[in-house]
Amino acid sequence: DQQVKQNSPSLSVQEGRISILNCDYTNSMFDYFLWYKKYPAEGPTFLISISSIKDKNEDGRFTVFLNKSAKHLSLHIVPSQPGDSAVYFCAFRSNDYKLSFGAGTTVTVRA
Amino acid sequence: DAGVIQSPRHEVTEMGQEVTLRCKPISGHNSLFWYRQTMMRGLELLIYFNNNVPIDDSGMPEDRFSAKMPNASFSTLKIQPSEPRDSAVYFCASSDTGNTIYFGEGSWLTVV
């Protein structure tokens, strides 16, 4: 989807360090922002989300940041664990309930 | 709780054959989505149903693709005739009109 750009196809990080994933978007109508995690041979599973009225949402080791002026969404995972190795998709919802997905970032956490 | 259930999990078929993928959404969810994942295009929305009615099918690639939702607990995605370029993982997802959609495990289609 050209409205969503997840520019880093892969990320390798040492166990215990921070993983930072980024997405940029162009559609100012997006009002809800999500991150999904996908293991091989499984469907994407919901990870964390944030509405457009907030700039930060935290859930355990996962924090999502939204910068509306820059149209930028990020996910921080700290500390990273081997089980976090997966593909992460950012997703954006507009008021018609459709989700537009980024291309995905493959995260590899090295022990 | 049962999640979104898709069948078959894997399908290998010959070019020109009809393919039918099936989906049972989460009970109580009134929105259903069919997505396709490919290396080139990532996750793309094919069609979206709300209360069993197709709302947006703009993502359906061409007339060879059709989707139905005869009732709240069942949907099909049909490809007739199938072509090798249809090879992909097809995901069904459902939502209760909240902000989160829940995906099935996908149907892996290979057309040879």
Side-chain angles (χ1 to χ4, degrees), chain A residues 19-83:
Chain A
S19 295
I20 300 177
L21 297 89
N22 297 296
C23 280
D24 296 300
Y25 62 97
T26 58
N27 189 343
S28 58
M29 297 300 292
F30 289 143
D31 62 356
Y32 203 77
F33 308 85
L34 307 92
W35 284 95
Y36 280 78
K37 176 179 179 179
K38 184 183 181 302
Y39 291 117
E42 296 184 9
T45 56
F46 169 72
L47 186 59
I48 193 169
S49 62
I50 188 169
S51 73
S52 59
I53 63 173
K54 293 186 176 181
D55 55 17
K56 178 183 175 180
N57 186 29
E58 191 172 351
D59 182 3
R61 297 185 297 113
F62 303 91
T63 304
V64 56
F65 295 92
L66 175 63
N67 183 332
K68 283 187 293 183
S69 60
K71 292 189 172 65
H72 182 79
L73 182 75
S74 64
L75 174 69
H76 291 198
I77 308 172
V78 56
S80 300
Q81 298 175 353

Short mmCIF file of all heavy atoms in Angstrom, two decimals, chain A residues 19-83:
data_model
loop_
_atom_site.label_atom_id
_atom_site.label_comp_id
_atom_site.label_asym_id
_atom_site.label_seq_id
_atom_site.Cartn_x
_atom_site.Cartn_y
_atom_site.Cartn_z
N SER A 19 14.97 -3.07 20.31
CA SER A 19 14.61 -3.15 18.89
C SER A 19 13.72 -1.96 18.59
O SER A 19 12.76 -1.71 19.33
CB SER A 19 13.84 -4.43 18.57
OG SER A 19 14.63 -5.58 18.76
N ILE A 20 14.00 -1.25 17.51
CA ILE A 20 13.19 -0.11 17.11
C ILE A 20 12.75 -0.32 15.67
O ILE A 20 13.57 -0.46 14.77
CB ILE A 20 13.96 1.21 17.23
CG1 ILE A 20 14.39 1.44 18.68
CG2 ILE A 20 13.09 2.38 16.75
CD1 ILE A 20 15.24 2.68 18.89
N LEU A 21 11.43 -0.36 15.49
CA LEU A 21 10.85 -0.54 14.17
C LEU A 21 10.09 0.73 13.80
O LEU A 21 9.46 1.35 14.65
CB LEU A 21 9.93 -1.74 14.12
CG LEU A 21 10.57 -3.11 14.38
CD1 LEU A 21 10.58 -3.44 15.85
CD2 LEU A 21 9.83 -4.19 13.62
N ASN A 22 10.12 1.07 12.52
CA ASN A 22 9.55 2.34 12.07
C ASN A 22 8.63 2.20 10.88
O ASN A 22 8.86 1.34 10.01
CB ASN A 22 10.67 3.32 11.69
CG ASN A 22 11.55 3.67 12.87
OD1 ASN A 22 11.10 4.27 13.82
ND2 ASN A 22 12.81 3.27 12.79
N CYS A 23 7.62 3.05 10.85
CA CYS A 23 6.73 3.14 9.69
C CYS A 23 6.40 4.61 9.45
O CYS A 23 6.26 5.38 10.41
CB CYS A 23 5.42 2.39 9.93
SG CYS A 23 5.55 0.62 9.70
N ASP A 24 6.25 4.95 8.20
CA ASP A 24 5.79 6.28 7.81
C ASP A 24 4.51 6.15 7.00
O ASP A 24 4.32 5.16 6.29
CB ASP A 24 6.86 7.00 6.97
CG ASP A 24 8.11 7.26 7.76
OD1 ASP A 24 8.02 7.96 8.78
OD2 ASP A 24 9.16 6.72 7.39
N TYR A 25 3.65 7.15 7.12
CA TYR A 25 2.39 7.10 6.37
C TYR A 25 2.09 8.46 5.78
O TYR A 25 2.65 9.49 6.19
CB TYR A 25 1.25 6.62 7.27
CG TYR A 25 0.93 7.52 8.44
CD1 TYR A 25 -0.09 8.47 8.38
CD2 TYR A 25 1.64 7.41 9.64
CE1 TYR A 25 -0.40 9.28 9.45
CE2 TYR A 25 1.35 8.22 10.71
CZ TYR A 25 0.33 9.14 10.62
OH TYR A 25 0.03 9.95 11.70
N THR A 26 1.21 8.45 4.80
CA THR A 26 0.87 9.71 4.12
C THR A 26 -0.58 10.11 4.31
O THR A 26 -0.92 11.28 4.17
CB THR A 26 1.17 9.61 2.61
OG1 THR A 26 0.41 8.51 2.06
CG2 THR A 26 2.66 9.35 2.37
N ASN A 27 -1.44 9.16 4.64
CA ASN A 27 -2.88 9.43 4.73
C ASN A 27 -3.24 10.05 6.07
O ASN A 27 -3.19 9.40 7.10
CB ASN A 27 -3.65 8.12 4.52
CG ASN A 27 -5.14 8.34 4.38
OD1 ASN A 27 -5.67 9.39 4.74
ND2 ASN A 27 -5.83 7.34 3.87
N SER A 28 -3.62 11.30 6.06
CA SER A 28 -3.95 11.99 7.32
C SER A 28 -5.29 11.53 7.89
O SER A 28 -5.66 11.93 9.00
CB SER A 28 -3.98 13.50 7.10
OG SER A 28 -4.92 13.82 6.08
N MET A 29 -6.02 10.68 7.15
CA MET A 29 -7.30 10.17 7.65
C MET A 29 -7.13 8.96 8.57
O MET A 29 -8.08 8.52 9.20
CB MET A 29 -8.21 9.79 6.48
CG MET A 29 -8.58 10.95 5.59
SD MET A 29 -9.45 12.24 6.49
CE MET A 29 -10.98 11.39 6.87
N PHE A 30 -5.93 8.41 8.63
CA PHE A 30 -5.71 7.29 9.53
C PHE A 30 -5.97 7.74 10.96
O PHE A 30 -5.46 8.79 11.40
CB PHE A 30 -4.29 6.75 9.40
CG PHE A 30 -4.03 6.02 8.11
CD1 PHE A 30 -2.79 6.16 7.49
CD2 PHE A 30 -4.96 5.18 7.54
CE1 PHE A 30 -2.51 5.49 6.30
CE2 PHE A 30 -4.69 4.51 6.35
CZ PHE A 30 -3.45 4.67 5.73
N ASP A 31 -6.75 6.95 11.71
CA ASP A 31 -7.09 7.36 13.07
C ASP A 31 -6.72 6.33 14.12
O ASP A 31 -6.91 6.57 15.33
CB ASP A 31 -8.58 7.70 13.16
CG ASP A 31 -9.47 6.50 12.88
OD1 ASP A 31 -8.95 5.42 12.52
OD2 ASP A 31 -10.70 6.64 13.00
N TYR A 32 -6.23 5.19 13.68
CA TYR A 32 -5.86 4.16 14.65
C TYR A 32 -4.70 3.39 14.06
O TYR A 32 -4.69 3.10 12.86
CB TYR A 32 -7.05 3.23 14.92
CG TYR A 32 -6.96 2.51 16.24
CD1 TYR A 32 -7.25 3.17 17.42
CD2 TYR A 32 -6.60 1.17 16.29
CE1 TYR A 32 -7.16 2.52 18.64
CE2 TYR A 32 -6.50 0.51 17.50
CZ TYR A 32 -6.79 1.19 18.67
OH TYR A 32 -6.71 0.55 19.87
N PHE A 33 -3.75 3.06 14.93
CA PHE A 33 -2.48 2.53 14.45
C PHE A 33 -2.13 1.28 15.25
O PHE A 33 -2.25 1.26 16.48
CB PHE A 33 -1.37 3.58 14.61
CG PHE A 33 -1.74 4.91 14.01
CD1 PHE A 33 -2.47 5.84 14.72
CD2 PHE A 33 -1.36 5.22 12.72
CE1 PHE A 33 -2.83 7.07 14.16
CE2 PHE A 33 -1.69 6.43 12.14
CZ PHE A 33 -2.43 7.36 12.86
N LEU A 34 -1.71 0.25 14.55
CA LEU A 34 -1.50 -1.04 15.19
C LEU A 34 -0.18 -1.65 14.74
O LEU A 34 0.35 -1.33 13.67
CB LEU A 34 -2.62 -2.01 14.82
CG LEU A 34 -4.08 -1.58 15.04
CD1 LEU A 34 -4.65 -0.91 13.80
CD2 LEU A 34 -4.95 -2.77 15.42
N TRP A 35 0.30 -2.55 15.58
CA TRP A 35 1.42 -3.40 15.19
C TRP A 35 0.99 -4.86 15.31
O TRP A 35 0.35 -5.25 16.29
CB TRP A 35 2.64 -3.16 16.09
CG TRP A 35 3.38 -1.90 15.77
CD1 TRP A 35 3.23 -0.68 16.36
CD2 TRP A 35 4.39 -1.72 14.78
NE1 TRP A 35 4.08 0.25 15.80
CE2 TRP A 35 4.81 -0.37 14.82
CE3 TRP A 35 5.01 -2.57 13.85
CZ2 TRP A 35 5.80 0.15 13.98
CZ3 TRP A 35 5.98 -2.06 13.01
CH2 TRP A 35 6.37 -0.72 13.09
N TYR A 36 1.34 -5.63 14.29
CA TYR A 36 1.09 -7.06 14.28
C TYR A 36 2.42 -7.79 14.19
O TYR A 36 3.39 -7.31 13.60
CB TYR A 36 0.22 -7.45 13.07
CG TYR A 36 -1.25 -7.19 13.26
CD1 TYR A 36 -1.76 -5.91 13.12
CD2 TYR A 36 -2.12 -8.22 13.57
CE1 TYR A 36 -3.12 -5.67 13.29
CE2 TYR A 36 -3.48 -7.99 13.74
CZ TYR A 36 -3.97 -6.71 13.60
OH TYR A 36 -5.31 -6.48 13.77
N LYS A 37 2.42 -8.99 14.75
CA LYS A 37 3.61 -9.84 14.77
C LYS A 37 3.26 -11.13 14.05
O LYS A 37 2.15 -11.66 14.22
CB LYS A 37 3.98 -10.11 16.22
CG LYS A 37 5.13 -11.05 16.45
CD LYS A 37 5.33 -11.14 17.97
CE LYS A 37 6.44 -12.08 18.33
NZ LYS A 37 6.63 -12.14 19.82
N LYS A 38 4.17 -11.64 13.24
CA LYS A 38 3.87 -12.84 12.48
C LYS A 38 5.04 -13.81 12.53
O LYS A 38 6.16 -13.48 12.14
CB LYS A 38 3.53 -12.50 11.02
CG LYS A 38 3.11 -13.71 10.20
CD LYS A 38 2.85 -13.35 8.77
CE LYS A 38 2.41 -14.57 7.97
NZ LYS A 38 3.41 -15.66 8.02
N TYR A 39 4.73 -15.03 13.01
CA TYR A 39 5.70 -16.12 12.95
C TYR A 39 5.49 -16.88 11.63
O TYR A 39 4.40 -16.86 11.07
CB TYR A 39 5.52 -17.07 14.12
CG TYR A 39 5.88 -16.49 15.46
CD1 TYR A 39 4.93 -16.33 16.45
CD2 TYR A 39 7.19 -16.10 15.75
CE1 TYR A 39 5.25 -15.82 17.69
CE2 TYR A 39 7.52 -15.57 16.99
CZ TYR A 39 6.54 -15.43 17.96
OH TYR A 39 6.87 -14.91 19.18
N PRO A 40 6.53 -17.58 11.16
CA PRO A 40 6.38 -18.38 9.94
C PRO A 40 5.22 -19.37 10.06
O PRO A 40 5.00 -19.95 11.12
CB PRO A 40 7.73 -19.11 9.83
CG PRO A 40 8.68 -18.25 10.57
CD PRO A 40 7.91 -17.65 11.70
N ALA A 41 4.49 -19.53 9.00
CA ALA A 41 3.40 -20.50 8.89
C ALA A 41 2.24 -20.19 9.85
O ALA A 41 1.41 -21.07 10.13
CB ALA A 41 3.88 -21.92 9.11
N GLU A 42 2.18 -18.97 10.34
CA GLU A 42 1.05 -18.56 11.17
C GLU A 42 0.48 -17.25 10.65
O GLU A 42 1.12 -16.54 9.88
CB GLU A 42 1.48 -18.38 12.63
CG GLU A 42 1.94 -19.65 13.29
CD GLU A 42 2.27 -19.42 14.77
OE1 GLU A 42 1.98 -18.33 15.29
OE2 GLU A 42 2.82 -20.35 15.38
N GLY A 43 -0.74 -16.93 11.08
CA GLY A 43 -1.31 -15.65 10.71
C GLY A 43 -0.76 -14.54 11.59
O GLY A 43 -0.23 -14.79 12.67
N PRO A 44 -0.87 -13.29 11.14
CA PRO A 44 -0.45 -12.16 11.97
C PRO A 44 -1.27 -12.11 13.26
O PRO A 44 -2.47 -12.38 13.25
CB PRO A 44 -0.73 -10.95 11.09
CG PRO A 44 -0.82 -11.48 9.69
CD PRO A 44 -1.37 -12.85 9.83
N THR A 45 -0.63 -11.78 14.35
CA THR A 45 -1.33 -11.63 15.62
C THR A 45 -1.15 -10.20 16.12
O THR A 45 -0.07 -9.61 15.99
CB THR A 45 -0.83 -12.61 16.69
OG1 THR A 45 0.58 -12.44 16.84
CG2 THR A 45 -1.12 -14.03 16.30
N PHE A 46 -2.21 -9.68 16.70
CA PHE A 46 -2.20 -8.31 17.20
C PHE A 46 -1.21 -8.17 18.35
O PHE A 46 -1.14 -9.03 19.25
CB PHE A 46 -3.60 -7.93 17.66
CG PHE A 46 -3.66 -6.65 18.44
CD1 PHE A 46 -3.49 -5.44 17.79
CD2 PHE A 46 -3.86 -6.66 19.80
CE1 PHE A 46 -3.53 -4.25 18.50
CE2 PHE A 46 -3.91 -5.49 20.52
CZ PHE A 46 -3.74 -4.28 19.87
N LEU A 47 -0.46 -7.08 18.33
CA LEU A 47 0.56 -6.88 19.36
C LEU A 47 0.23 -5.68 20.25
O LEU A 47 0.10 -5.81 21.46
CB LEU A 47 1.92 -6.66 18.68
CG LEU A 47 3.15 -6.57 19.55
CD1 LEU A 47 3.34 -7.82 20.38
CD2 LEU A 47 4.39 -6.33 18.68
N ILE A 48 0.08 -4.52 19.66
CA ILE A 48 -0.17 -3.31 20.42
C ILE A 48 -0.74 -2.26 19.48
O ILE A 48 -0.53 -2.33 18.26
CB ILE A 48 1.14 -2.80 21.08
CG1 ILE A 48 0.86 -1.71 22.13
CG2 ILE A 48 2.15 -2.32 20.04
CD1 ILE A 48 2.07 -1.37 22.99
N SER A 49 -1.46 -1.29 20.04
CA SER A 49 -2.07 -0.27 19.19
C SER A 49 -2.06 1.08 19.89
O SER A 49 -1.76 1.19 21.08
CB SER A 49 -3.51 -0.66 18.85
OG SER A 49 -4.28 -0.75 20.04
N ILE A 50 -2.41 2.11 19.12
CA ILE A 50 -2.50 3.45 19.66
C ILE A 50 -3.50 4.24 18.84
O ILE A 50 -3.57 4.08 17.61
CB ILE A 50 -1.11 4.14 19.66
CG1 ILE A 50 -1.14 5.47 20.40
CG2 ILE A 50 -0.58 4.33 18.23
CD1 ILE A 50 0.26 6.05 20.65
N SER A 51 -4.28 5.07 19.51
CA SER A 51 -5.22 5.90 18.78
C SER A 51 -4.56 7.23 18.44
O SER A 51 -3.54 7.60 19.00
CB SER A 51 -6.50 6.14 19.59
OG SER A 51 -6.23 7.05 20.64
N SER A 52 -5.22 7.96 17.55
CA SER A 52 -4.61 9.20 17.06
C SER A 52 -4.59 10.31 18.10
O SER A 52 -3.92 11.32 17.92
CB SER A 52 -5.36 9.68 15.81
OG SER A 52 -6.72 9.89 16.11
N ILE A 53 -5.30 10.11 19.22
CA ILE A 53 -5.31 11.16 20.24
C ILE A 53 -4.16 11.00 21.24
O ILE A 53 -3.99 11.84 22.11
CB ILE A 53 -6.65 11.18 20.99
CG1 ILE A 53 -6.89 9.86 21.74
CG2 ILE A 53 -7.79 11.47 20.04
CD1 ILE A 53 -8.12 9.90 22.64
N LYS A 54 -3.41 9.93 21.08
CA LYS A 54 -2.28 9.70 21.99
C LYS A 54 -0.96 9.75 21.22
O LYS A 54 -0.95 9.65 19.99
CB LYS A 54 -2.43 8.33 22.66
CG LYS A 54 -3.60 8.24 23.61
CD LYS A 54 -3.58 6.91 24.34
CE LYS A 54 -4.68 6.84 25.37
NZ LYS A 54 -4.65 5.56 26.12
N ASP A 55 0.12 9.87 21.96
CA ASP A 55 1.43 9.81 21.30
C ASP A 55 2.28 8.65 21.81
O ASP A 55 3.35 8.38 21.27
CB ASP A 55 2.18 11.13 21.43
CG ASP A 55 2.34 11.55 22.89
OD1 ASP A 55 2.17 10.70 23.79
OD2 ASP A 55 2.64 12.73 23.13
N LYS A 56 1.77 7.93 22.81
CA LYS A 56 2.54 6.81 23.35
C LYS A 56 1.60 5.82 24.01
O LYS A 56 0.63 6.22 24.68
CB LYS A 56 3.55 7.35 24.38
CG LYS A 56 4.39 6.29 25.08
CD LYS A 56 5.31 6.94 26.11
CE LYS A 56 6.07 5.90 26.91
NZ LYS A 56 6.96 6.53 27.93
N ASN A 57 1.90 4.54 23.82
CA ASN A 57 1.18 3.50 24.52
C ASN A 57 2.16 2.38 24.87
O ASN A 57 2.94 1.96 24.00
CB ASN A 57 0.03 2.95 23.67
CG ASN A 57 -0.84 1.97 24.43
OD1 ASN A 57 -0.96 2.07 25.65
ND2 ASN A 57 -1.44 1.02 23.74
N GLU A 58 2.09 1.94 26.09
CA GLU A 58 3.07 0.98 26.57
C GLU A 58 2.37 -0.27 27.08
O GLU A 58 1.33 -0.20 27.75
CB GLU A 58 3.88 1.62 27.71
CG GLU A 58 5.10 0.87 28.15
CD GLU A 58 5.93 1.69 29.14
OE1 GLU A 58 5.63 2.88 29.32
OE2 GLU A 58 6.87 1.13 29.72
N ASP A 59 2.94 -1.42 26.76
CA ASP A 59 2.41 -2.69 27.24
C ASP A 59 3.59 -3.62 27.49
O ASP A 59 4.11 -4.25 26.57
CB ASP A 59 1.45 -3.29 26.21
CG ASP A 59 0.82 -4.59 26.70
OD1 ASP A 59 1.07 -5.00 27.85
OD2 ASP A 59 0.07 -5.21 25.92
N GLY A 60 4.02 -3.66 28.73
CA GLY A 60 5.16 -4.51 29.06
C GLY A 60 6.42 -4.06 28.36
O GLY A 60 6.82 -2.89 28.45
N ARG A 61 7.01 -4.96 27.61
CA ARG A 61 8.25 -4.64 26.90
C ARG A 61 8.02 -3.85 25.61
O ARG A 61 8.98 -3.44 24.95
CB ARG A 61 9.00 -5.94 26.58
CG ARG A 61 9.44 -6.74 27.80
CD ARG A 61 10.27 -7.95 27.41
NE ARG A 61 9.50 -8.91 26.60
CZ ARG A 61 9.77 -9.17 25.33
NH1 ARG A 61 10.75 -8.54 24.70
NH2 ARG A 61 9.03 -10.06 24.68
N PHE A 62 6.78 -3.68 25.24
CA PHE A 62 6.44 -3.06 23.96
C PHE A 62 5.87 -1.66 24.17
O PHE A 62 4.97 -1.47 24.99
CB PHE A 62 5.42 -3.93 23.21
CG PHE A 62 5.88 -5.33 22.96
CD1 PHE A 62 5.61 -6.35 23.87
CD2 PHE A 62 6.59 -5.65 21.82
CE1 PHE A 62 6.05 -7.64 23.66
CE2 PHE A 62 7.03 -6.94 21.59
CZ PHE A 62 6.76 -7.94 22.51
N THR A 63 6.41 -0.71 23.43
CA THR A 63 5.91 0.67 23.46
C THR A 63 5.75 1.16 22.03
O THR A 63 6.66 1.00 21.21
CB THR A 63 6.88 1.60 24.20
OG1 THR A 63 7.11 1.09 25.52
CG2 THR A 63 6.30 3.01 24.30
N VAL A 64 4.58 1.72 21.76
CA VAL A 64 4.34 2.30 20.44
C VAL A 64 4.31 3.81 20.58
O VAL A 64 3.72 4.36 21.53
CB VAL A 64 3.04 1.76 19.81
CG1 VAL A 64 1.83 1.98 20.71
CG2 VAL A 64 2.80 2.34 18.44
N PHE A 65 4.96 4.48 19.66
CA PHE A 65 5.03 5.94 19.62
C PHE A 65 4.39 6.44 18.33
O PHE A 65 4.64 5.87 17.26
CB PHE A 65 6.48 6.42 19.68
CG PHE A 65 7.19 6.09 20.96
CD1 PHE A 65 7.92 4.92 21.07
CD2 PHE A 65 7.14 6.96 22.04
CE1 PHE A 65 8.58 4.59 22.25
CE2 PHE A 65 7.80 6.65 23.23
CZ PHE A 65 8.52 5.47 23.33
N LEU A 66 3.61 7.50 18.46
CA LEU A 66 2.99 8.11 17.29
C LEU A 66 3.38 9.58 17.22
O LEU A 66 3.15 10.33 18.16
CB LEU A 66 1.46 7.98 17.36
CG LEU A 66 0.67 8.68 16.26
CD1 LEU A 66 0.99 8.08 14.89
CD2 LEU A 66 -0.82 8.61 16.55
N ASN A 67 3.93 9.97 16.11
CA ASN A 67 4.25 11.37 15.84
C ASN A 67 3.39 11.82 14.67
O ASN A 67 3.73 11.59 13.51
CB ASN A 67 5.75 11.54 15.51
CG ASN A 67 6.14 12.98 15.31
OD1 ASN A 67 5.33 13.83 14.91
ND2 ASN A 67 7.38 13.29 15.59
N LYS A 68 2.26 12.42 14.98
CA LYS A 68 1.29 12.75 13.93
C LYS A 68 1.80 13.83 13.00
O LYS A 68 1.51 13.82 11.81
CB LYS A 68 -0.04 13.17 14.57
CG LYS A 68 -0.86 12.01 15.07
CD LYS A 68 -2.23 12.47 15.54
CE LYS A 68 -2.09 13.35 16.77
NZ LYS A 68 -3.39 13.77 17.32
N SER A 69 2.53 14.78 13.53
CA SER A 69 3.02 15.86 12.67
C SER A 69 4.00 15.31 11.63
O SER A 69 4.03 15.77 10.49
CB SER A 69 3.68 16.96 13.50
OG SER A 69 4.77 16.44 14.22
N ALA A 70 4.78 14.32 12.04
CA ALA A 70 5.73 13.72 11.11
C ALA A 70 5.14 12.53 10.37
O ALA A 70 5.79 11.96 9.49
CB ALA A 70 6.99 13.28 11.85
N LYS A 71 3.93 12.14 10.74
CA LYS A 71 3.27 10.96 10.18
C LYS A 71 4.20 9.75 10.32
O LYS A 71 4.54 9.05 9.34
CB LYS A 71 2.86 11.18 8.74
CG LYS A 71 1.73 12.20 8.57
CD LYS A 71 1.21 12.21 7.14
CE LYS A 71 -0.02 13.07 7.00
NZ LYS A 71 0.25 14.50 7.26
N HIS A 72 4.60 9.51 11.56
CA HIS A 72 5.58 8.47 11.83
C HIS A 72 5.12 7.64 13.02
O HIS A 72 4.69 8.19 14.04
CB HIS A 72 6.95 9.12 12.13
CG HIS A 72 8.04 8.14 12.38
ND1 HIS A 72 8.68 7.48 11.35
CD2 HIS A 72 8.58 7.68 13.53
CE1 HIS A 72 9.59 6.66 11.86
NE2 HIS A 72 9.56 6.77 13.18
N LEU A 73 5.23 6.34 12.87
CA LEU A 73 4.87 5.38 13.90
C LEU A 73 6.08 4.51 14.20
O LEU A 73 6.79 4.11 13.27
CB LEU A 73 3.72 4.50 13.41
CG LEU A 73 3.15 3.46 14.38
CD1 LEU A 73 2.29 4.13 15.43
CD2 LEU A 73 2.34 2.42 13.61
N SER A 74 6.31 4.24 15.47
CA SER A 74 7.43 3.36 15.79
C SER A 74 7.04 2.39 16.89
O SER A 74 6.10 2.62 17.65
CB SER A 74 8.67 4.17 16.18
OG SER A 74 8.44 4.90 17.36
N LEU A 75 7.78 1.31 16.95
CA LEU A 75 7.60 0.28 17.98
C LEU A 75 8.95 0.03 18.63
O LEU A 75 9.94 -0.20 17.92
CB LEU A 75 7.07 -1.02 17.36
CG LEU A 75 6.97 -2.22 18.30
CD1 LEU A 75 5.87 -1.99 19.35
CD2 LEU A 75 6.69 -3.51 17.52
N HIS A 76 8.98 0.10 19.95
CA HIS A 76 10.18 -0.22 20.69
C HIS A 76 9.95 -1.50 21.47
O HIS A 76 8.92 -1.64 22.15
CB HIS A 76 10.54 0.91 21.67
CG HIS A 76 10.97 2.17 20.99
ND1 HIS A 76 11.66 3.16 21.66
CD2 HIS A 76 10.84 2.61 19.72
CE1 HIS A 76 11.93 4.15 20.82
NE2 HIS A 76 11.43 3.84 19.65
N ILE A 77 10.91 -2.39 21.38
CA ILE A 77 10.87 -3.62 22.16
C ILE A 77 12.12 -3.63 23.04
O ILE A 77 13.24 -3.65 22.53
CB ILE A 77 10.87 -4.87 21.26
CG1 ILE A 77 9.77 -4.79 20.19
CG2 ILE A 77 10.68 -6.13 22.10
CD1 ILE A 77 9.84 -5.90 19.15
N VAL A 78 11.88 -3.60 24.35
CA VAL A 78 13.05 -3.60 25.23
C VAL A 78 12.72 -4.31 26.54
O VAL A 78 11.70 -4.00 27.16
CB VAL A 78 13.55 -2.15 25.47
CG1 VAL A 78 12.42 -1.28 26.03
CG2 VAL A 78 14.74 -2.10 26.40
N PRO A 79 13.54 -5.25 26.99
CA PRO A 79 14.66 -5.81 26.24
C PRO A 79 14.19 -6.81 25.20
O PRO A 79 13.18 -7.50 25.41
CB PRO A 79 15.47 -6.51 27.33
CG PRO A 79 14.43 -6.95 28.33
CD PRO A 79 13.38 -5.87 28.33
N SER A 80 14.90 -6.92 24.12
CA SER A 80 14.56 -7.89 23.09
C SER A 80 14.90 -9.30 23.55
O SER A 80 15.92 -9.53 24.22
CB SER A 80 15.32 -7.59 21.79
OG SER A 80 15.01 -6.30 21.32
N GLN A 81 14.04 -10.24 23.17
CA GLN A 81 14.22 -11.64 23.55
C GLN A 81 14.21 -12.51 22.29
O GLN A 81 13.61 -12.13 21.29
CB GLN A 81 13.10 -12.08 24.49
CG GLN A 81 13.05 -11.31 25.80
CD GLN A 81 11.86 -11.69 26.66
OE1 GLN A 81 10.99 -12.45 26.24
NE2 GLN A 81 11.82 -11.16 27.88
N PRO A 82 14.83 -13.67 22.34
CA PRO A 82 14.84 -14.54 21.14
C PRO A 82 13.45 -14.84 20.60
O PRO A 82 13.26 -14.93 19.38
CB PRO A 82 15.54 -15.81 21.65
CG PRO A 82 16.45 -15.32 22.73
CD PRO A 82 15.68 -14.22 23.42
N GLY A 83 12.46 -14.96 21.48
CA GLY A 83 11.09 -15.22 21.04
C GLY A 83 10.46 -14.06 20.29
O GLY A 83 9.38 -14.21 19.71
#
